[in-house]
Amino acid sequence: MKVLGLETSCDETGIAIYDTENGLLAHQIYSQIAKHAEYGGVVPELASRDHVRKTLPLIDEVLQEAGLTKHELDAVAYTSGPGLVGALMAGATIGRSLAYSLNIPALGVHHMEGHLLAPMLEDAKPDMPFIALLVSGGHTQLVRVDAIGEYRLLGQSLDDAAGEAFDKAAKMIGLPYPGGPQIAALAKNGQIRPDLKFPRPMTDRPGLDFSFSGLKTAFLTAIHNALDEERCDEPFKADVALAFEMAVVDTLVIKCRRALESEGLKRLIIAGGVSANTRLREQLESQLKKIQASVFYARPELCTDNGAMIAYAGAQRLLSGQSSGLSLSIRARWPLSELPSIKGAA
């Protein structure tokens, strides 16, 4: 089955073709980062317009890359939530219309299920059950995964997601949007300083929930103190960026290890934009080795929003006989727990 995947939940237009027999055939991503950077964040109306402008040309590109015509497609999968309503509607309308014109099934896919399953596109992929850390600009969640569609939420952020915290911290020291990669790049030049030791929020109490608001406050306080003392120069910014990144990473690692131990599992996947963070990957691999556990993740270009994850997730559900009707169901909010299970999906 050859499935065309369309991802338009936020500020990236991702298009891909996944073949259930031959794997990922082609994928393209158009990022709107430059367009939104001047506003310091995503402008929903601009995002929707760009999806309308770029989706059809990108579909043509991936078809050409895969050496296929649209008539050789067997199904279309599109993101139907969660995300920005206008952006979701752009991709869903195009995907559903294309499927109707070709007389093939279409399926609305859960954006976070796409992220959760993205590591399954790699050669090294985990057997289920496993723990998933979904960490991005909009989500920070720990989920137990027993099968596709069998998800149990173990913990989540009570305020900002980790990616959002990175974005806000970056803005505080004058770095452009998106902040995660900017903080990580600046932190490479930083030095560990005892006077810049930030809290690891909610790690000193039981449970698997997250909170990054206090960490942001500590970061802002350090910046204000440096400004008052006229020492907020570039070396200081690098040092404070490193301290912030280390605090976020340590918090995520501690909670992941706790989740594995509490559930009696030895496999963890990390997915979402923040999962591309090099320090996070290195620390997870190092710390999980101590408990004989393994960590899995997607290649960097499949960590951010992309069509490949939607095509793959859609293919698994389409193979089980699921499809969506002609009426579109777009959901800005959509708990993973509401998804039906797929027994025996590959």
Side-chain angles (χ1 to χ4, degrees):
M1 176 183 282
K2 297 178 180 65
V3 180
L4 175 70
L6 281 63
E7 158 56 26
T8 64
S9 66
C10 192
D11 61 343
E12 279 148 334
T13 309
I15 312 295
I17 297 174
Y18 176 79
D19 186 338
T20 54
E21 294 183 1
N22 299 303
L24 185 61
L25 302 183
H27 75 101
Q28 294 286 338
I29 301 173
Y30 170 74
S31 174
Q32 303 175 8
I33 285 176
K35 182 179 292 293
H36 299 287
E38 62 180 296
Y39 303 101
V42 178
V43 181
E45 179 61 24
L46 295 180
S48 303
R49 292 179 185 179
D50 243 19
H51 289 309
V52 171
R53 183 173 66 90
K54 293 298 294 186
T55 299
L56 287 175
L58 283 175
I59 290 174
D60 290 338
E61 285 187 31
V62 296
L63 284 169
Q64 184 176 5
E65 182 182 342
L68 301 173
T69 69
K70 61 179 181 290
H71 298 287
E72 294 176 275
L73 296 173
D74 298 303
V76 178
Y78 56 86
T79 305
S80 57
L84 302 175
V85 171
L88 292 167
M89 185 61 74
T93 302
I94 293 171
R96 177 65 266 184
S97 300
L98 179 61
Y100 181 77
S101 71
L102 296 172
N103 195 29
I104 57 177
L107 178 70
V109 173
H110 193 292
H111 176 75
M112 294 312 294
E113 181 171 67
H115 275 304
L116 188 153
L117 296 177
M120 308 302 280
L121 287 161
E122 306 300 334
D123 292 334
K125 52 189 175 184
D127 295 325
M128 298 180 186
F130 55 73
I131 301 296
L133 172 66
L134 303 178
V135 58
S136 65
H139 298 82
T140 301
Q141 298 178 329
L142 278 166
V143 180
R144 178 180 172 123
V145 179
D146 288 294
I148 295 177
E150 291 187 23
Y151 308 130
R152 179 160 58 89
L153 181 65
L154 302 176
Q156 61 185 332
S157 179
L158 303 179
D159 38 61
D160 289 347
E164 189 177 4
F166 272 122
D167 288 341
K168 291 181 178 179
K171 191 173 183 179
M172 291 177 195
I173 53 175
L175 297 176
Y177 171 85
Q182 301 291 337
I183 288 281
L186 184 59
K188 290 180 180 179
N189 299 319
Q191 301 293 323
I192 296 175
R193 291 170 42 167
D195 61 324
L196 289 176
K197 175 75 171 177
F198 293 133
R200 275 57 175 165
M202 298 184 71
T203 58
D204 58 349
R205 67 189 76 174
L208 296 170
D209 286 330
F210 302 88
S211 173
F212 295 104
S213 59
L215 176 57
K216 285 189 311 175
T217 300
F219 182 84
L220 182 60
T221 299
I223 297 298
H224 283 167
N225 290 340
L227 288 170
D228 290 342
E229 298 169 11
E230 297 184 351
R231 54 183 177 83
C232 193
D233 52 14
E234 290 307 308
F236 174 83
K237 289 181 180 180
D239 294 345
V240 77
L242 174 60
F244 184 82
E245 183 186 45
M246 289 176 64
V248 173
V249 166
D250 286 352
T251 301
L252 294 173
V253 171
I254 290 168
K255 296 286 183 161
C256 285
R257 177 169 175 168
R258 186 179 294 176
L260 288 167
E261 291 176 334
S262 66
E263 294 296 313
L265 297 177
K266 294 294 186 181
R267 293 178 293 274
L268 173 84
I269 71 151
I270 54 170
V274 181
S275 70
N277 182 280
T278 302
R279 185 178 301 277
L280 176 59
R281 293 189 178 200
E282 290 174 348
Q283 286 300 307
L284 279 172
E285 289 179 355
S286 171
Q287 294 302 312
L288 295 191
K289 236 181 232 184
K290 297 177 181 179
I291 58 170
Q292 290 79 52
S294 302
V295 59
F296 301 83
Y297 37 77
R299 70 200 79 164
E301 65 264 31
L302 299 186
C303 290
T304 55
D305 295 349
N306 64 87
M309 69 184 193
I310 301 303
Y312 178 84
Q316 308 314 307
R317 293 191 171 275
L318 287 158
L319 284 173
S320 73
Q322 295 183 27
S323 64
S324 301
L326 289 175
S327 60
L328 296 177
S329 177
I330 301 302
R331 301 182 61 174
R333 297 182 181 275
W334 188 4
L336 270 171
S337 58
E338 294 183 5
L339 292 175
S341 172
I342 299 179
K343 294 293 185 180

